[in-house]
Amino acid sequence: PKPTPEEAFKKRDKDNNGAISADEFIGKKAGDKAAAAKKAFQKKDKDNSGSLSFDEFKGKGKKNKKA
C-alpha cells in the first residue's frame, strides 16, 4: 500500500525535527536524479527557509512572494 503523506514525511525527516532538509529530501540520489530532486525541493520550499514543513511537503505551503 502507498504510504500516507504523514508516513512519507516521517520517513524523510531523518532527524525527527518536524522539517525536511534538502539533504533529507534528496537522500542518496546522484547525478540527474539528485538535480531533479533539488529542483523539486526548491519548488516545494515556498518560504525559502531551506527546509520543508509538512504543509510544504504535501504541496500546501504558502506561495513565495516575489518582488
Side-chain angles (χ1 to χ4, degrees):
K2 186 176 180 182
T4 65
E6 291 83 2
E7 290 169 337
F9 184 85
K10 286 178 183 178
K11 185 176 180 182
R12 292 232 173 133
D13 183 16
K14 301 289 186 198
D15 60 5
N16 296 310
N17 69 346
I20 297 174
S21 69
D23 287 342
E24 288 172 328
F25 188 82
I26 295 165
K28 297 182 182 191
K29 294 174 180 68
D32 290 345
K33 288 185 179 184
K38 184 175 182 179
K39 194 170 190 178
F41 177 87
Q42 291 169 336
K43 188 174 183 181
K44 286 180 170 287
D45 185 15
K46 300 294 185 190
D47 63 0
N48 296 311
S49 67
S51 62
L52 300 181
S53 66
F54 180 66
D55 285 341
E56 288 174 322
F57 180 75
K58 286 192 314 184
K60 296 184 178 182
K62 294 177 182 174
K63 293 187 178 181
N64 286 336
K65 292 182 179 178
K66 296 196 175 182

